[in-house]
Amino acid sequence: QVQLVESGGGLVQAGGSLRLSCAASGTIFSVMAWYRQAPGKQRELVAAQTLGGSTNYADSVKGRFTISRDNTKNTVYLQMNSLKPEDTGVYYCNVRQMSSSREYWGQGTQVTVSS
């Protein structure tokens, strides 16, 4: 059973920075990603990174957020800079297991950006 432990959320003023972490237990993951869900909105992809290092970002965060992963620790990070109030939401870690392509979700961590 894969377990994900997220950390790093919190309250920050606009223009500030936060770093999210997600540690996954067990196996190798082909893709590790971050999604977010703002109140009253659908969950959306923020950033994703493959095992080979390729990355994909939502247009709204390009140039401000950076995803990275440490494959030796099965951990994915999201460095968020120049935060805006519209970045507020619950951020979820998502991983895809290489062997089965099954996806797993973290419990979510709240990010609140005040204006």
Side-chain angles (χ1 to χ4, degrees), residues 5-78:
V5 179
E6 301 173 5
S7 60
L11 173 64
V12 65
Q13 288 189 331
S17 298
L18 284 174
R19 188 188 192 214
L20 305 183
S21 299
C22 173
S25 64
T27 183
I28 299 172
F29 302 100
S30 56
V31 181
M32 302 184 85
W34 289 95
Y35 286 72
R36 69 185 178 191
Q37 188 165 20
K41 294 189 177 181
Q42 290 187 331
R43 192 174 297 187
E44 63 174 354
L45 175 69
V46 175
Q49 188 168 29
T50 67
L51 184 61
S54 297
T55 57
N56 182 37
Y57 293 93
D59 288 343
S60 59
V61 307
K62 285 180 180 176
R64 300 188 298 122
F65 290 11
T66 302
I67 190 170
S68 61
R69 55 189 286 178
D70 183 339
N71 294 323
T72 65
K73 298 179 180 179
N74 264 351
T75 300
V76 62
Y77 306 95
L78 185 67

Side-chain angles (χ1 to χ4, degrees), residues 75-88:
T75 300
V76 62
Y77 306 95
L78 185 67
Q79 178 66 44
M80 304 185 293
N81 298 329
S82 301
L83 282 161
K84 304 176 180 180
E86 51 263 43
D87 294 318
T88 294

